[in-house]
Amino acid sequence: MKPDVYTYSNEGGRGYNEDSVSYKEKDGHGLYVVADGLGGHQHGEVASACICDSLMEGWSPDEEDDRADALKEQIVLANQKLLTLQQEQQSKMKSTVVTLAIDDNQAAWAHVGDSRLYYIHGKAISHITEDHSVAYKKYKAGEITKSQIAWDEDQSCLLRSLGNEERYEPDVNSQLLLCPGDAFMLCSDGAWEYLQDEEILIDYLKSETAKEWAEGLLLRIMGRIDADSDNLTLLTVILH
């Protein structure tokens, strides 16, 4: 199978973009990353770039160990690099991250914070990462609906992020036996907060390429954002 990939990143209503997106592919293997520098801290763009660069540098298509374990180890290492950078620049810069690794017909993914991964299999969304945020905890507890997460007063209160000596542990998942037509979307909160799950699926089902899928989603987002909207970044992957 060959991944069809498209990336998009925009500053939104901000004067600068603190999101980072990157991917690397070789011989049926690939690594895909979206990181969101936290706007309430200094130098968010530096933090997200540090995380992306660290994961790209640490990735090997010839990884012999369990890929999910390798992703976890690389995120821990990226966090250490960010902590060192904080000391060098005297800054409390922090970032979220969501990353996906594809190895032929297998996949593993991991995330810290509220950047998300959506996995489509069998013409249905079969997995969505769970945000490490107070708002998501409220949703899980039944205090708010899923659609209310994006606009809840605690949506930006993260329980985990990179750039912390504690509370940086990633959640890791793996999926074996990927099939042609399987698809993934990685995105920052500036993208998913304007989208409903069924809209993400509908636009995928109407698309033949990763670019068409992303463009459909972006049309929805652009019709809903306001002047104060956050940076928005997404990365779409469709397996052919």
PDB file of all heavy atoms in Angstrom, residues 86-102:
ATOM      1  N   GLN A  86      14.311  24.785  27.008  1.00  0.00           N
ATOM      2  CA  GLN A  86      13.726  25.749  27.956  1.00  0.00           C
ATOM      3  C   GLN A  86      14.817  26.402  28.800  1.00  0.00           C
ATOM      4  O   GLN A  86      14.817  27.618  29.001  1.00  0.00           O
ATOM      5  CB  GLN A  86      12.731  25.047  28.884  1.00  0.00           C
ATOM      6  CG  GLN A  86      11.412  24.683  28.256  1.00  0.00           C
ATOM      7  CD  GLN A  86      10.503  23.976  29.250  1.00  0.00           C
ATOM      8  OE1 GLN A  86      10.913  23.610  30.353  1.00  0.00           O
ATOM      9  NE2 GLN A  86       9.260  23.760  28.853  1.00  0.00           N
ATOM     10  N   GLN A  87      15.731  25.599  29.288  1.00  0.00           N
ATOM     11  CA  GLN A  87      16.810  26.119  30.120  1.00  0.00           C
ATOM     12  C   GLN A  87      17.727  27.043  29.323  1.00  0.00           C
ATOM     13  O   GLN A  87      18.135  28.104  29.814  1.00  0.00           O
ATOM     14  CB  GLN A  87      17.615  24.961  30.714  1.00  0.00           C
ATOM     15  CG  GLN A  87      16.825  24.100  31.680  1.00  0.00           C
ATOM     16  CD  GLN A  87      17.636  22.937  32.208  1.00  0.00           C
ATOM     17  OE1 GLN A  87      18.703  22.610  31.691  1.00  0.00           O
ATOM     18  NE2 GLN A  87      17.134  22.296  33.250  1.00  0.00           N
ATOM     19  N   GLU A  88      18.018  26.652  28.097  1.00  0.00           N
ATOM     20  CA  GLU A  88      18.910  27.460  27.259  1.00  0.00           C
ATOM     21  C   GLU A  88      18.299  28.817  26.934  1.00  0.00           C
ATOM     22  O   GLU A  88      19.003  29.830  26.883  1.00  0.00           O
ATOM     23  CB  GLU A  88      19.233  26.707  25.971  1.00  0.00           C
ATOM     24  CG  GLU A  88      20.079  25.457  26.177  1.00  0.00           C
ATOM     25  CD  GLU A  88      20.243  24.663  24.894  1.00  0.00           C
ATOM     26  OE1 GLU A  88      19.571  25.020  23.891  1.00  0.00           O
ATOM     27  OE2 GLU A  88      21.024  23.690  24.888  1.00  0.00           O
ATOM     28  N   GLN A  89      16.997  28.851  26.700  1.00  0.00           N
ATOM     29  CA  GLN A  89      16.344  30.084  26.286  1.00  0.00           C
ATOM     30  C   GLN A  89      15.577  30.774  27.417  1.00  0.00           C
ATOM     31  O   GLN A  89      14.907  31.776  27.190  1.00  0.00           O
ATOM     32  CB  GLN A  89      15.409  29.801  25.105  1.00  0.00           C
ATOM     33  CG  GLN A  89      16.138  29.272  23.882  1.00  0.00           C
ATOM     34  CD  GLN A  89      15.308  29.378  22.621  1.00  0.00           C
ATOM     35  OE1 GLN A  89      14.254  30.003  22.584  1.00  0.00           O
ATOM     36  NE2 GLN A  89      15.785  28.778  21.549  1.00  0.00           N
ATOM     37  N   GLN A  90      15.673  30.199  28.614  1.00  0.00           N
ATOM     38  CA  GLN A  90      14.976  30.777  29.767  1.00  0.00           C
ATOM     39  C   GLN A  90      13.501  31.015  29.454  1.00  0.00           C
ATOM     40  O   GLN A  90      12.949  32.099  29.619  1.00  0.00           O
ATOM     41  CB  GLN A  90      15.652  32.087  30.188  1.00  0.00           C
ATOM     42  CG  GLN A  90      17.072  31.917  30.697  1.00  0.00           C
ATOM     43  CD  GLN A  90      17.118  31.077  31.976  1.00  0.00           C
ATOM     44  OE1 GLN A  90      16.517  31.425  32.994  1.00  0.00           O
ATOM     45  NE2 GLN A  90      17.822  29.951  31.918  1.00  0.00           N
ATOM     46  N   SER A  91      12.864  29.966  28.959  1.00  0.00           N
ATOM     47  CA  SER A  91      11.469  30.046  28.532  1.00  0.00           C
ATOM     48  C   SER A  91      10.725  28.807  28.998  1.00  0.00           C
ATOM     49  O   SER A  91      11.314  27.726  29.112  1.00  0.00           O
ATOM     50  CB  SER A  91      11.384  30.165  27.005  1.00  0.00           C
ATOM     51  OG  SER A  91      10.054  29.997  26.561  1.00  0.00           O
ATOM     52  N   LYS A  92       9.430  28.943  29.247  1.00  0.00           N
ATOM     53  CA  LYS A  92       8.596  27.815  29.655  1.00  0.00           C
ATOM     54  C   LYS A  92       7.818  27.243  28.474  1.00  0.00           C
ATOM     55  O   LYS A  92       6.696  26.768  28.620  1.00  0.00           O
ATOM     56  CB  LYS A  92       7.641  28.239  30.776  1.00  0.00           C
ATOM     57  CG  LYS A  92       8.347  28.622  32.067  1.00  0.00           C
ATOM     58  CD  LYS A  92       7.347  28.983  33.147  1.00  0.00           C
ATOM     59  CE  LYS A  92       8.058  29.350  34.449  1.00  0.00           C
ATOM     60  NZ  LYS A  92       7.094  29.692  35.530  1.00  0.00           N
ATOM     61  N   MET A  93       8.397  27.304  27.290  1.00  0.00           N
ATOM     62  CA  MET A  93       7.725  26.852  26.073  1.00  0.00           C
ATOM     63  C   MET A  93       7.247  25.406  26.196  1.00  0.00           C
ATOM     64  O   MET A  93       7.930  24.546  26.740  1.00  0.00           O
ATOM     65  CB  MET A  93       8.657  27.009  24.873  1.00  0.00           C
ATOM     66  CG  MET A  93       9.905  26.170  24.935  1.00  0.00           C
ATOM     67  SD  MET A  93      11.020  26.461  23.525  1.00  0.00           S
ATOM     68  CE  MET A  93      11.919  27.883  24.134  1.00  0.00           C
ATOM     69  N   LYS A  94       6.040  25.163  25.676  1.00  0.00           N
ATOM     70  CA  LYS A  94       5.428  23.835  25.749  1.00  0.00           C
ATOM     71  C   LYS A  94       4.739  23.515  24.423  1.00  0.00           C
ATOM     72  O   LYS A  94       4.506  24.400  23.601  1.00  0.00           O
ATOM     73  CB  LYS A  94       4.424  23.764  26.898  1.00  0.00           C
ATOM     74  CG  LYS A  94       5.032  24.041  28.274  1.00  0.00           C
ATOM     75  CD  LYS A  94       3.988  23.929  29.369  1.00  0.00           C
ATOM     76  CE  LYS A  94       4.545  24.375  30.717  1.00  0.00           C
ATOM     77  NZ  LYS A  94       5.640  23.511  31.164  1.00  0.00           N
ATOM     78  N   SER A  95       4.392  22.246  24.261  1.00  0.00           N
ATOM     79  CA  SER A  95       3.761  21.827  23.008  1.00  0.00           C
ATOM     80  C   SER A  95       2.940  20.559  23.229  1.00  0.00           C
ATOM     81  O   SER A  95       3.224  19.765  24.124  1.00  0.00           O
ATOM     82  CB  SER A  95       4.814  21.560  21.930  1.00  0.00           C
ATOM     83  OG  SER A  95       4.235  21.144  20.714  1.00  0.00           O
ATOM     84  N   THR A  96       1.925  20.383  22.397  1.00  0.00           N
ATOM     85  CA  THR A  96       1.248  19.102  22.273  1.00  0.00           C
ATOM     86  C   THR A  96       1.922  18.334  21.139  1.00  0.00           C
ATOM     87  O   THR A  96       2.750  18.883  20.411  1.00  0.00           O
ATOM     88  CB  THR A  96      -0.238  19.275  21.928  1.00  0.00           C
ATOM     89  OG1 THR A  96      -0.348  19.745  20.573  1.00  0.00           O
ATOM     90  CG2 THR A  96      -0.909  20.273  22.864  1.00  0.00           C
ATOM     91  N   VAL A  97       1.531  17.084  20.958  1.00  0.00           N
ATOM     92  CA  VAL A  97       1.994  16.337  19.789  1.00  0.00           C
ATOM     93  C   VAL A  97       1.026  15.193  19.506  1.00  0.00           C
ATOM     94  O   VAL A  97       0.432  14.616  20.422  1.00  0.00           O
ATOM     95  CB  VAL A  97       3.429  15.769  19.989  1.00  0.00           C
ATOM     96  CG1 VAL A  97       3.433  14.646  21.020  1.00  0.00           C
ATOM     97  CG2 VAL A  97       4.009  15.275  18.670  1.00  0.00           C
ATOM     98  N   VAL A  98       0.847  14.889  18.234  1.00  0.00           N
ATOM     99  CA  VAL A  98       0.197  13.648  17.812  1.00  0.00           C
ATOM    100  C   VAL A  98       1.023  13.109  16.659  1.00  0.00           C
ATOM    101  O   VAL A  98       1.438  13.857  15.767  1.00  0.00           O
ATOM    102  CB  VAL A  98      -1.273  13.856  17.413  1.00  0.00           C
ATOM    103  CG1 VAL A  98      -1.423  14.862  16.278  1.00  0.00           C
ATOM    104  CG2 VAL A  98      -1.927  12.531  17.048  1.00  0.00           C
ATOM    105  N   THR A  99       1.336  11.818  16.706  1.00  0.00           N
ATOM    106  CA  THR A  99       2.212  11.236  15.690  1.00  0.00           C
ATOM    107  C   THR A  99       1.713   9.860  15.278  1.00  0.00           C
ATOM    108  O   THR A  99       1.147   9.112  16.095  1.00  0.00           O
ATOM    109  CB  THR A  99       3.672  11.155  16.198  1.00  0.00           C
ATOM    110  OG1 THR A  99       4.506  10.653  15.167  1.00  0.00           O
ATOM    111  CG2 THR A  99       3.785  10.282  17.423  1.00  0.00           C
ATOM    112  N   LEU A 100       1.923   9.538  14.024  1.00  0.00           N
ATOM    113  CA  LEU A 100       1.491   8.277  13.430  1.00  0.00           C
ATOM    114  C   LEU A 100       2.676   7.640  12.715  1.00  0.00           C
ATOM    115  O   LEU A 100       3.406   8.320  11.982  1.00  0.00           O
ATOM    116  CB  LEU A 100       0.368   8.544  12.422  1.00  0.00           C
ATOM    117  CG  LEU A 100       0.028   7.436  11.426  1.00  0.00           C
ATOM    118  CD1 LEU A 100      -0.666   6.271  12.120  1.00  0.00           C
ATOM    119  CD2 LEU A 100      -0.855   7.989  10.303  1.00  0.00           C
ATOM    120  N   ALA A 101       2.865   6.346  12.913  1.00  0.00           N
ATOM    121  CA  ALA A 101       3.883   5.591  12.180  1.00  0.00           C
ATOM    122  C   ALA A 101       3.187   4.485  11.399  1.00  0.00           C
ATOM    123  O   ALA A 101       2.371   3.743  11.955  1.00  0.00           O
ATOM    124  CB  ALA A 101       4.909   4.994  13.135  1.00  0.00           C
ATOM    125  N   ILE A 102       3.485   4.399  10.118  1.00  0.00           N
ATOM    126  CA  ILE A 102       2.945   3.341   9.262  1.00  0.00           C
ATOM    127  C   ILE A 102       4.107   2.492   8.764  1.00  0.00           C
ATOM    128  O   ILE A 102       5.097   3.019   8.250  1.00  0.00           O
ATOM    129  CB  ILE A 102       2.166   3.923   8.076  1.00  0.00           C
ATOM    130  CG1 ILE A 102       0.906   4.649   8.577  1.00  0.00           C
ATOM    131  CG2 ILE A 102       1.782   2.825   7.083  1.00  0.00           C
ATOM    132  CD1 ILE A 102       0.113   5.326   7.478  1.00  0.00           C
TER     133      ILE A 102
END
